[in-house]
Amino acid sequence: MDQDSVVSRIRLIQPTVQLHEEFLECAFEFGEGHRDGFATDSVSDAALQDREQFSAWVATRASYADEGTDLPPDRVHDTLSWIVDEREPTRILGSISLRHRLNDFLLAVGGHIGYGVRPSARRQGVATAALKLSLEQARSLGLQRLLVTCQQDNTGSARTIERNGGVLEDVRETPDHGTIRRYWVDLTRD
């Protein structure tokens, strides 16, 4: 598949209640547990399936992008987006979270950007295109240098980060998250 054509079709959209069923289909394709980039760790799968609770989650996540919103102490402001292909705008391919700043945990493990692409949409350039768009969002927020991380054994994600200008700083062992590759992306260069 031509990488340039994928990049031109991928869009990041704000989460919406109108795509509730499509979100569930995408999220549950990952199976149970953590879903990178989906920001669902603080809500149960049962709550996500309930339309009213899902609506509240979408509203809460939208508020986290607003720098004026008071957040829980362990959170930072972030912009959550869903990844779609303009040819099928109601099929969610994944999710990406752009954190506006780093706390200690994000500096050590999570980085500025977390993303996940549903298994059926992998190896098609979707993550590379979505990360490129998220870097453009970061530029618009005035960020100049971003930390993007992945698991040591996630070669696909490592390539995605490298294709988007990521320069490996180091590889670190973490007590609870395994071995992490830490990349910096300089947004001041073209």
Side-chain angles (χ1 to χ4, degrees), residues 36-100:
D36 287 332
F38 278 76
T40 56
D41 290 347
S42 63
V43 63
S44 71
D45 286 353
L48 289 173
Q49 292 178 52
D50 178 85
R51 192 168 183 85
E52 189 173 305
Q53 291 182 62
F54 178 77
S55 179
W57 175 78
V58 167
T60 297
R61 294 303 307 156
S63 76
Y64 282 16
D66 180 354
E67 293 288 332
T69 299
D70 289 330
L71 301 179
D74 62 333
R75 299 283 179 185
V76 298
H77 290 95
D78 74 306
T79 302
L80 180 66
S81 301
W82 289 344
I83 305 165
V84 299
D85 183 325
E86 68 180 11
R87 295 177 309 178
E88 295 181 82
T90 61
R91 182 171 185 258
I92 300 169
L93 303 177
S95 187
I96 192 163
S97 174
L98 167 63
R99 294 119 184 174
H100 301 180

Side-chain angles (χ1 to χ4, degrees), residues 6-188:
V6 172
V7 170
S8 68
R9 293 192 323 262
I10 296 300
R11 301 287 179 262
L12 301 182
I13 64 169
Q14 184 172 359
T16 174
V17 176
Q18 284 71 32
L19 295 178
H20 182 218
E21 292 301 320
E22 293 80 359
F23 171 82
L24 293 175
E25 179 185 308
C26 177
F28 294 143
E29 189 174 313
F30 285 85
E32 293 186 22
H34 179 76
R35 299 172 187 100
D36 287 332
F38 278 76
T40 56
D41 290 347
S42 63
V43 63
S44 71
D45 286 353
L48 289 173
Q49 292 178 52
D50 178 85
R51 192 168 183 85
E52 189 173 305
Q53 291 182 62
F54 178 77
S55 179
W57 175 78
V58 167
T60 297
R61 294 303 307 156
S63 76
Y64 282 16
D66 180 354
E67 293 288 332
T69 299
D70 289 330
L71 301 179
D74 62 333
R75 299 283 179 185
V76 298
H77 290 95
D78 74 306
T79 302
L80 180 66
S81 301
W82 289 344
I83 305 165
V84 299
D85 183 325
E86 68 180 11
R87 295 177 309 178
E88 295 181 82
T90 61
R91 182 171 185 258
I92 300 169
L93 303 177
S95 187
I96 192 163
S97 174
L98 167 63
R99 294 119 184 174
H100 301 180
R101 66 189 51 80
L102 299 175
N103 59 23
D104 290 342
F105 171 77
L106 295 173
L107 182 60
V109 178
H112 282 95
I113 298 176
Y115 57 89
V117 173
R118 68 190 302 166
S120 63
R122 292 179 185 161
R123 296 177 168 234
Q124 299 172 35
V126 173
T128 300
L131 181 55
K132 179 178 181 181
L133 292 170
S134 191
L135 294 175
E136 291 171 12
Q137 286 179 328
R139 273 191 195 92
S140 73
L141 292 172
L143 298 174
Q144 297 181 350
R145 190 169 178 247
L146 294 183
L147 176 64
V148 187
T149 66
C150 67
Q151 293 291 320
Q152 168 70 11
D153 62 354
N154 189 340
T155 56
S157 193
R159 282 194 304 269
T160 292
I161 297 165
E162 291 164 359
R163 283 186 194 116
N164 277 284
V167 176
L168 182 66
E169 177 182 62
D170 61 21
V171 177
R172 296 184 183 180
E173 236 0 270
T174 64
D176 298 322
H177 299 282
T179 307
I180 304 293
R181 297 176 64 88
R182 298 173 70 255
Y183 293 87
W184 288 94
V185 179
D186 182 353
L187 298 180
T188 62

